[in-house]
Amino acid sequence: MASVVFYMEDGTTLVHKLESDVTAIGRHPDSDVVLTCPSSSGRHAVIKSSEDGYYVQDMGSSNGTRVNGAEIEEALLKDGDRVGFGDVQSVFYAGDAPSVLEEKPVAAPSIAKSLPPPAPVVSAEVPAAAPRPAPAGRALSPVRRAYGKPAAGSYPDTTESGCMTGLIVTGLFVIAFVVGLAMRHSKEMEGNLMIDLKDKLFGSMPKIKIERKADE
């Protein structure tokens, strides 16, 4: 005789033989198989006997009835089909249920386990290199990393050459100033600046004669 094994939420099993033409399943106390799981409706589904076998029909339940993972309104059952009433799982047997199920409770089967595993997805992208760990201490900003203090010996020290350049520029400016002054003096005074300057400083100084009086 056909039978259905229900795997309850508390881990126990319930073996129900399909002796009637119609077997009502749900949380309602008048059901032939009373389910206590909150995901099951009061009048969840029925299993009907016909000439070509047994059919399971959903009665408009809130969480649906599934056969081998597919939600159905009505479906013909085959030996070994897994039927879900909300979160309550069951297995339909065309004959008597295995005797081991009547002797001790077993864990409810997972419909997901009966389905083949999905094929692995192979990505064509090259995995990015793992980021290098940051050095200990305070991290530098991108600007400081680009324009920070260079390492010793990265380029020569230009401090001394800079001072020398400044002195040369100053000297050239002084020479240009003197040459310009000399040219202007030559044009206006018709003389040599250096000679005239020397005469003015040393040639025009009065000579002082110091005489000592004889002792009286």
Side-chain angles (χ1 to χ4, degrees):
M1 179 178 293
S3 57
V4 180
V5 178
F6 294 86
Y7 296 86
M8 301 303 185
E9 66 275 11
D10 60 358
T12 60
T13 59
L14 171 64
V15 179
H16 181 82
K17 295 183 178 182
L18 300 177
E19 299 176 346
S20 302
D21 292 338
V22 178
T23 300
I25 303 169
R27 287 192 295 111
H28 195 279
D30 294 339
S31 301
D32 297 311
V33 179
V34 179
L35 304 178
T36 58
C37 184
S39 63
S40 302
S41 300
R43 301 186 184 278
H44 197 102
V46 294
I47 296 178
K48 301 180 295 183
S49 174
S50 66
E51 294 181 357
D52 52 349
Y54 287 88
Y55 286 84
V56 58
Q57 179 183 356
D58 185 77
M59 302 301 291
S61 62
S62 300
N63 294 303
T65 301
R66 293 175 172 79
V67 176
N68 297 327
E71 188 169 354
I72 55 91
E73 292 183 0
E74 186 178 55
L76 176 65
L77 295 175
K78 296 178 293 184
D79 186 55
D81 279 349
R82 298 178 182 273
V83 186
F85 305 94
D87 290 338
V88 177
Q89 304 299 319
S90 66
V91 179
F92 171 79
Y93 293 97
D96 293 335
S99 58
V100 66
L101 298 177
E102 300 181 0
E103 294 177 358
K104 60 180 179 179
V106 297
S110 173
I111 292 180
K113 293 181 179 180
S114 64
L115 302 177
V121 178
V122 179
S123 175
E125 297 181 358
V126 178
R132 298 181 62 182
R138 185 177 180 182
L140 295 177
S141 67
V143 175
R144 292 193 62 187
R145 286 197 298 268
Y147 300 100
K149 185 178 180 180
S154 59
Y155 54 80
D157 187 5
T158 59
T159 303
E160 183 176 353
S161 61
C163 294
M164 184 62 66
T165 302
L167 292 176
I168 293 174
V169 173
T170 303
L172 291 175
F173 178 78
V174 172
I175 293 174
F177 176 77
V178 173
V179 172
L181 187 62
M183 292 177 64
R184 182 176 180 181
H185 179 79
S186 176
K187 182 178 180 180
E188 293 181 355
M189 306 300 295
E190 297 181 356
N192 190 295
L193 176 63
M194 300 303 295
I195 296 175
D196 292 346
L197 184 61
K198 178 180 178 182
D199 292 341
K200 183 171 291 190
L201 292 177
F202 302 104
S204 61
M205 292 181 63
K207 297 181 179 180
I208 301 174
K209 184 178 181 181
I210 302 175
E211 296 181 357
R212 296 182 61 185
K213 290 182 178 182
D215 295 335
E216 291 181 359

